[in-house]
Coordinates of all heavy atoms in Angstrom, one line a residue:
M1 N 103.3 40.2 108.9 CA 101.9 40.4 109.2 C 101.4 41.5 108.3 O 102.1 42.6 108.2 CB 101.7 40.6 110.6 CG 100.3 40.5 111.0 SD 100.2 40.3 112.7 CE 98.7 39.4 112.8
N2 N 100.2 41.5 107.8 CA 99.6 42.4 106.9 C 99.0 43.6 107.9 O 98.6 43.4 109.0 CB 98.6 41.9 106.1 CG 99.2 41.0 105.0 OD1 100.4 41.2 104.6 ND2 98.4 40.1 104.5
E3 N 98.9 44.7 107.2 CA 98.2 45.8 107.9 C 96.7 45.8 107.7 O 96.2 45.4 106.7 CB 98.7 47.2 107.2 CG 98.1 48.4 107.8 CD 98.6 49.7 107.0 OE1 99.6 49.5 106.3 OE2 98.0 50.7 107.2
I4 N 96.0 46.1 108.8 CA 94.5 46.1 108.8 C 94.1 47.3 108.1 O 94.5 48.4 108.4 CB 94.0 46.0 110.3 CG1 94.4 44.8 110.9 CG2 92.5 46.1 110.2 CD1 94.1 44.6 112.5
V5 N 93.1 47.1 107.2 CA 92.6 48.2 106.3 C 91.1 48.3 106.6 O 90.4 47.3 106.5 CB 92.9 48.0 104.9 CG1 92.3 49.1 104.0 CG2 94.4 47.8 104.7
N6 N 90.7 49.6 106.8 CA 89.2 49.8 106.8 C 88.7 49.9 105.4 O 89.1 50.8 104.6 CB 89.0 51.1 107.6 CG 87.5 51.4 107.8 OD1 86.7 51.1 107.0 ND2 87.2 52.1 108.9
L7 N 87.9 49.0 105.0 CA 87.4 48.9 103.6 C 86.6 50.1 103.2 O 86.7 50.6 102.0 CB 86.6 47.6 103.3 CG 87.4 46.3 103.4 CD1 86.4 45.2 103.2 CD2 88.5 46.4 102.4
H8 N 85.9 50.6 104.1 CA 85.1 51.9 103.8 C 86.0 53.1 103.4 O 85.8 53.7 102.4 CB 84.1 52.2 104.9 CG 83.2 53.4 104.7 ND1 82.3 53.4 103.7 CD2 83.3 54.7 105.2 CE1 81.6 54.6 103.6 NE2 82.3 55.3 104.6
R9 N 87.0 53.3 104.3 CA 88.0 54.3 103.9 C 88.7 54.0 102.7 O 89.0 54.9 101.9 CB 88.9 54.5 105.1 CG 88.3 55.1 106.3 CD 89.3 55.3 107.5 NE 88.7 55.8 108.6 CZ 89.2 55.8 109.8 NH1 90.4 55.2 110.0 NH2 88.6 56.3 110.9
H10 N 89.1 52.8 102.5 CA 89.9 52.4 101.3 C 89.1 52.7 100.0 O 89.6 53.3 99.1 CB 90.2 51.0 101.3 CG 91.0 50.5 100.1 ND1 92.3 50.9 100.0 CD2 90.7 49.6 99.2 CE1 92.8 50.3 98.9 NE2 91.8 49.5 98.4
R11 N 87.8 52.4 100.0 CA 86.9 52.6 98.9 C 86.8 54.1 98.6 O 86.8 54.6 97.5 CB 85.6 52.0 99.1 CG 85.5 50.5 98.9 CD 84.1 49.9 98.9 NE 84.2 48.5 99.2 CZ 83.7 48.0 100.3 NH1 83.1 48.6 101.2 NH2 83.8 46.6 100.5
K12 N 86.6 54.8 99.7 CA 86.5 56.3 99.6 C 87.7 56.9 99.0 O 87.7 57.8 98.1 CB 86.2 56.9 100.9 CG 84.8 56.7 101.4 CD 84.4 57.3 102.8 CE 84.0 58.8 102.5 NZ 83.5 59.3 103.8
R13 N 88.9 56.4 99.6 CA 90.2 56.9 99.0 C 90.4 56.6 97.5 O 90.7 57.5 96.7 CB 91.3 56.4 99.8 CG 92.7 57.0 99.3 CD 93.8 56.6 100.2 NE 93.8 55.1 100.4 CZ 93.9 54.6 101.7 NH1 94.0 55.3 102.7 NH2 93.8 53.2 101.8
L14 N 89.9 55.4 97.1 CA 90.1 55.1 95.7 C 89.0 55.9 94.8 O 89.5 56.3 93.7 CB 89.7 53.6 95.5 CG 90.6 52.6 95.9 CD1 90.2 51.2 95.7 CD2 92.0 52.7 95.2
A15 N 87.9 56.2 95.3 CA 86.9 57.0 94.6 C 87.5 58.4 94.5 O 87.4 59.1 93.4 CB 85.7 57.1 95.3
R16 N 88.1 59.0 95.5 CA 88.7 60.3 95.5 C 89.9 60.4 94.5 O 90.0 61.3 93.7 CB 89.2 60.8 96.9 CG 88.2 61.4 97.7 CD 88.8 62.1 98.9 NE 89.7 61.3 99.7 CZ 89.3 60.5 100.7 NH1 88.2 60.5 101.1 NH2 90.3 59.8 101.3
D17 N 90.6 59.3 94.5 CA 91.8 59.3 93.6 C 91.3 59.3 92.1 O 91.9 59.8 91.2 CB 92.7 58.1 93.9 CG 93.5 58.3 95.2 OD1 93.5 59.4 95.7 OD2 94.0 57.3 95.6
T18 N 90.3 58.4 91.9 CA 89.8 58.3 90.5 C 89.1 59.6 90.0 O 89.4 60.0 88.9 CB 88.7 57.2 90.5 OG1 89.3 56.0 90.9 CG2 88.2 57.0 89.1
A19 N 88.4 60.2 90.9 CA 87.8 61.5 90.6 C 88.8 62.6 90.3 O 88.6 63.4 89.4 CB 86.9 62.0 91.8
E20 N 89.9 62.5 91.1 CA 91.0 63.5 90.8 C 91.7 63.3 89.4 O 92.0 64.2 88.7 CB 92.1 63.5 91.9 CG 93.2 64.5 91.8 CD 92.8 65.9 91.6 OE1 91.8 66.3 92.2 OE2 93.5 66.5 90.8
Q21 N 91.9 62.0 89.2 CA 92.5 61.7 87.8 C 91.6 62.2 86.7 O 92.0 62.7 85.7 CB 92.8 60.2 87.7 CG 93.8 59.8 88.6 CD 94.1 58.2 88.6 OE1 93.2 57.5 87.9 NE2 95.1 57.8 89.1
T22 N 90.3 61.9 86.9 CA 89.3 62.4 85.8 C 89.3 63.8 85.7 O 89.3 64.4 84.6 CB 87.9 61.8 86.2 OG1 87.9 60.4 86.3 CG2 86.9 62.2 85.1
A23 N 89.2 64.5 86.8 CA 89.3 66.0 86.8 C 90.6 66.5 86.2 O 90.5 67.5 85.4 CB 89.2 66.6 88.3
A24 N 91.7 65.9 86.4 CA 92.9 66.4 85.9 C 92.8 66.2 84.3 O 93.4 67.1 83.6 CB 94.1 65.6 86.4
A25 N 92.3 65.1 83.8 CA 92.2 64.9 82.4 C 91.3 65.9 81.8 O 91.6 66.4 80.7 CB 91.7 63.4 82.2
R26 N 90.2 66.2 82.5 CA 89.2 67.2 81.9 C 89.8 68.6 81.9 O 89.6 69.4 81.0 CB 88.0 67.2 82.7 CG 87.1 66.0 82.4 CD 85.8 66.0 83.2 NE 85.0 64.8 83.0 CZ 84.0 64.8 82.1 NH1 83.7 65.9 81.5 NH2 83.3 63.7 81.9
R27 N 90.6 68.9 82.9 CA 91.3 70.2 82.9 C 92.2 70.4 81.7 O 92.3 71.4 81.1 CB 92.0 70.4 84.2 CG 91.2 70.8 85.4 CD 92.0 71.2 86.6 NE 92.9 70.3 87.1 CZ 92.5 69.4 88.1 NH1 91.4 69.5 88.7 NH2 93.4 68.5 88.5
L28 N 92.9 69.3 81.4 CA 93.8 69.3 80.3 C 93.1 69.4 78.9 O 93.4 70.2 78.0 CB 94.7 68.2 80.2 CG 95.8 68.0 81.2 CD1 96.5 66.7 81.1 CD2 96.8 69.2 81.0
E29 N 91.9 68.8 78.9 CA 91.1 68.7 77.7 C 90.3 70.1 77.5 O 90.3 70.6 76.4 CB 90.2 67.6 77.7 CG 89.5 67.4 76.3 CD 88.7 66.1 76.3 OE1 88.7 65.4 77.2 OE2 87.8 66.0 75.4
F30 N 89.7 70.5 78.6 CA 88.7 71.6 78.3 C 89.2 72.9 79.0 O 88.6 73.9 78.7 CB 87.3 71.2 79.0 CG 86.7 70.1 78.3 CD1 86.6 68.8 79.0 CD2 86.2 70.2 77.0 CE1 86.0 67.8 78.4 CE2 85.7 69.1 76.4 CZ 85.5 67.9 77.1
G31 N 90.1 72.9 79.9 CA 90.4 74.0 80.8 C 91.2 75.1 80.0 O 92.1 74.8 79.2
R32 N 90.8 76.3 80.2 CA 91.4 77.4 79.7 C 91.6 78.5 80.8 O 90.6 78.6 81.6 CB 90.6 78.0 78.5 CG 90.6 77.1 77.3 CD 89.8 77.7 76.2 NE 88.5 77.9 76.7 CZ 87.5 78.6 76.1 NH1 87.8 79.2 75.0 NH2 86.4 78.8 76.6
T33 N 92.6 79.3 80.7 CA 92.7 80.4 81.7 C 91.7 81.5 81.3 O 91.3 81.6 80.2 CB 94.2 80.9 81.7 OG1 94.5 81.5 80.5 CG2 95.1 79.7 82.1
K34 N 91.5 82.4 82.3 CA 90.7 83.5 82.0 C 91.3 84.4 80.9 O 90.5 84.9 80.0 CB 90.6 84.3 83.3 CG 89.6 85.5 83.3 CD 89.4 86.2 84.6 CE 88.5 87.3 84.5 NZ 88.3 88.0 85.8
V35 N 92.5 84.6 80.9 CA 93.2 85.3 79.9 C 93.0 84.7 78.5 O 92.6 85.4 77.5 CB 94.7 85.6 80.2 CG1 95.4 86.2 79.0 CG2 94.9 86.2 81.5
Q36 N 93.0 83.5 78.4 CA 92.8 82.8 77.1 C 91.4 82.9 76.7 O 91.1 83.3 75.5 CB 93.1 81.3 77.2 CG 94.6 80.9 77.4 CD 94.8 79.5 77.7 OE1 94.0 78.8 78.4 NE2 95.9 78.9 77.2
R37 N 90.3 82.9 77.5 CA 89.0 83.0 77.2 C 88.8 84.4 76.8 O 88.1 84.7 75.8 CB 88.1 82.7 78.4 CG 88.0 81.3 78.7 CD 86.9 81.0 79.7 NE 86.9 81.8 80.9 CZ 87.5 81.3 82.0 NH1 88.1 80.1 82.1 NH2 87.5 82.1 83.1
Q38 N 89.4 85.5 77.4 CA 89.2 86.8 77.1 C 89.8 87.1 75.8 O 89.2 87.8 74.9 CB 89.8 87.8 78.1 CG 89.0 87.8 79.4 CD 89.7 88.6 80.5 OE1 90.9 88.8 80.4 NE2 88.9 89.0 81.5
A39 N 91.0 86.5 75.4 CA 91.7 86.7 74.1 C 90.8 86.1 73.0 O 90.7 86.8 72.0 CB 93.1 86.1 74.2
E40 N 90.2 85.0 73.3 CA 89.4 84.4 72.2 C 88.1 85.2 72.0 O 87.7 85.3 70.9 CB 89.0 82.9 72.6 CG 90.2 82.0 72.5 CD 89.8 80.6 73.0 OE1 88.7 80.4 73.3 OE2 90.7 79.8 73.1
A41 N 87.6 85.7 73.0 CA 86.3 86.6 72.9 C 86.7 87.8 72.2 O 85.9 88.2 71.2 CB 85.8 86.8 74.3
A42 N 87.8 88.4 72.4 CA 88.2 89.6 71.7 C 88.5 89.4 70.2 O 88.1 90.1 69.3 CB 89.6 90.2 72.4
E43 N 89.1 88.2 70.0 CA 89.4 87.8 68.6 C 88.0 87.6 67.9 O 87.9 88.0 66.7 CB 90.2 86.5 68.5 CG 90.5 86.1 67.1 CD 91.5 87.0 66.4 OE1 92.3 87.7 67.0 OE2 91.3 87.1 65.1
E44 N 87.0 86.9 68.4 CA 85.7 86.7 67.9 C 85.1 88.0 67.6 O 84.4 88.2 66.6 CB 84.9 85.8 68.8 CG 83.5 85.5 68.2 CD 83.6 84.8 66.9 OE1 84.5 84.1 66.6 OE2 82.6 85.0 66.1
R45 N 85.1 89.0 68.5 CA 84.5 90.3 68.3 C 85.1 91.0 67.1 O 84.5 91.6 66.3 CB 84.6 91.2 69.6 CG 83.6 90.8 70.7 CD 83.6 91.9 71.7 NE 85.0 92.2 72.2 CZ 85.4 91.5 73.4 NH1 84.7 90.6 74.0 NH2 86.7 91.8 73.8
K46 N 86.5 90.9 67.1 CA 87.2 91.5 65.9 C 86.8 90.9 64.6 O 86.5 91.6 63.6 CB 88.6 91.4 66.1 CG 89.5 92.0 65.1 CD 91.0 91.8 65.4 CE 91.9 92.4 64.2 NZ 93.3 92.1 64.5
R47 N 86.7 89.6 64.6 CA 86.3 88.8 63.4 C 84.9 89.2 62.9 O 84.5 89.4 61.8 CB 86.4 87.4 63.7 CG 86.3 86.5 62.5 CD 86.4 85.0 62.7 NE 87.7 84.7 63.4 CZ 87.8 84.2 64.6 NH1 86.6 83.8 65.2 NH2 89.0 83.9 65.1
Q48 N 84.0 89.3 64.0 CA 82.6 89.7 63.7 C 82.4 91.1 63.2 O 81.7 91.3 62.2 CB 81.7 89.5 64.9 CG 80.2 89.6 64.6 CD 79.7 88.5 63.8 OE1 80.1 87.4 63.8 NE2 78.8 88.8 62.9
T49 N 83.2 92.1 63.7 CA 83.2 93.4 63.3 C 83.7 93.5 61.8 O 83.2 94.3 61.0 CB 84.1 94.3 64.2 OG1 83.6 94.1 65.6 CG2 84.0 95.8 63.8
S50 N 84.8 92.8 61.6 CA 85.3 92.7 60.2 C 84.3 92.2 59.2 O 84.1 92.8 58.2 CB 86.6 91.9 60.1 OG 87.1 91.9 58.9
L51 N 83.6 91.1 59.6 CA 82.6 90.6 58.7 C 81.5 91.5 58.5 O 81.0 91.7 57.4 CB 82.1 89.3 59.3 CG 81.0 88.5 58.5 CD1 81.6 88.0 57.2 CD2 80.5 87.4 59.3
D52 N 81.0 92.2 59.6 CA 79.9 93.1 59.4 C 80.4 94.3 58.6 O 79.5 94.9 57.8 CB 79.4 93.7 60.8 CG 78.7 92.6 61.6 OD1 78.4 91.6 61.0 OD2 78.6 92.7 62.8
G53 N 81.6 94.7 58.6 CA 82.1 95.9 57.8 C 82.0 95.5 56.3 O 82.1 96.5 55.5
H54 N 82.0 94.3 56.0 CA 82.2 93.9 54.5 C 80.8 93.6 53.9 O 80.6 93.2 52.7 CB 83.0 92.7 54.3 CG 84.5 93.0 54.5 ND1 85.1 93.1 55.7 CD2 85.4 93.4 53.6 CE1 86.4 93.4 55.6 NE2 86.6 93.7 54.3
R55 N 79.7 93.9 54.6 CA 78.3 93.6 54.1 C 78.0 94.6 53.1 O 78.3 95.8 53.2 CB 77.3 93.6 55.3 CG 77.4 92.5 56.3 CD 76.3 92.6 57.3 NE 76.5 91.6 58.4 CZ 76.1 90.4 58.4 NH1 75.3 89.9 57.3 NH2 76.2 89.6 59.4
R56 N 77.2 94.2 52.1 CA 76.8 95.1 51.1 C 75.6 95.9 51.6 O 75.6 97.1 51.4 CB 76.4 94.3 49.8 CG 77.5 93.8 49.1 CD 77.1 93.0 47.9 NE 78.2 92.7 47.0 CZ 78.4 93.2 45.8 NH1 77.6 94.0 45.4 NH2 79.4 93.0 45.1
V57 N 74.6 95.2 52.2 CA 73.5 95.9 52.8 C 73.6 95.8 54.3 O 73.7 94.7 54.8 CB 72.2 95.3 52.3 CG1 71.0 96.0 53.0 CG2 72.1 95.3 50.8
R58 N 73.7 96.9 55.0 CA 73.8 96.9 56.4 C 72.4 96.7 57.1 O 71.4 96.9 56.5 CB 74.4 98.2 56.9 CG 75.8 98.4 56.3 CD 76.4 99.7 57.0 NE 77.6 100.0 56.4 CZ 78.9 99.4 56.7 NH1 78.9 98.6 57.6 NH2 80.0 99.9 56.0
E59 N 72.5 96.1 58.2 CA 71.3 95.8 59.0 C 70.5 97.1 59.3 O 71.1 98.2 59.5 CB 71.5 95.1 60.3 CG 72.1 93.8 60.1 CD 72.5 93.1 61.4 OE1 71.9 93.5 62.4 OE2 73.2 92.1 61.4
G60 N 69.2 97.1 59.1 CA 68.5 98.3 59.3 C 68.2 99.1 58.1 O 67.4 100.1 58.1
E61 N 69.0 99.0 57.0 CA 68.9 99.7 55.8 C 68.3 98.8 54.7 O 68.4 97.6 54.8 CB 70.3 100.2 55.3 CG 70.9 101.1 56.2 CD 72.3 101.5 55.6 OE1 72.7 101.1 54.6 OE2 73.0 102.2 56.3
S62 N 67.5 99.4 53.8 CA 66.9 98.6 52.8 C 67.8 98.6 51.5 O 68.3 99.5 51.1 CB 65.6 99.1 52.4 OG 64.8 99.4 53.5

């Protein structure tokens, strides 16, 4: 004999499972740790500082 299933609960469980799978895929694609974001920001600041140091005419000067 089959088990009686509440369809409303079943649909909600399926929706939660689908949402969790989507979230997991997005975490892999877009997710970065705080340390990774800070390291990238520091690298960008260093790159920008280096670029500014090589300018022939500095900002504010004529």
Side-chain angles (χ1 to χ4, degrees):
M1 191 164 206
N2 292 334
E3 182 181 344
I4 297 174
V5 176
N6 183 329
L7 292 178
H8 183 66
R9 286 183 185 161
H10 179 70
R11 285 187 198 114
K12 286 179 89 171
R13 184 176 45 235
L14 286 178
R16 275 195 307 269
D17 291 344
T18 304
E20 178 56 36
Q21 289 175 352
T22 303
R26 287 179 179 262
R27 280 193 296 270
L28 286 175
E29 187 175 351
F30 298 110
R32 295 178 298 168
T33 65
K34 184 176 182 179
V35 173
Q36 289 171 330
R37 287 192 307 268
Q38 289 174 342
E40 288 177 6
E43 182 65 30
E44 180 60 29
R45 281 191 307 270
K46 181 179 177 184
R47 191 176 307 120
Q48 190 64 37
T49 302
S50 176
L51 180 64
D52 288 344
H54 288 87
R55 291 185 189 270
R56 287 179 170 248
V57 177
R58 299 189 187 272
E59 293 179 21
E61 296 179 3
S62 313

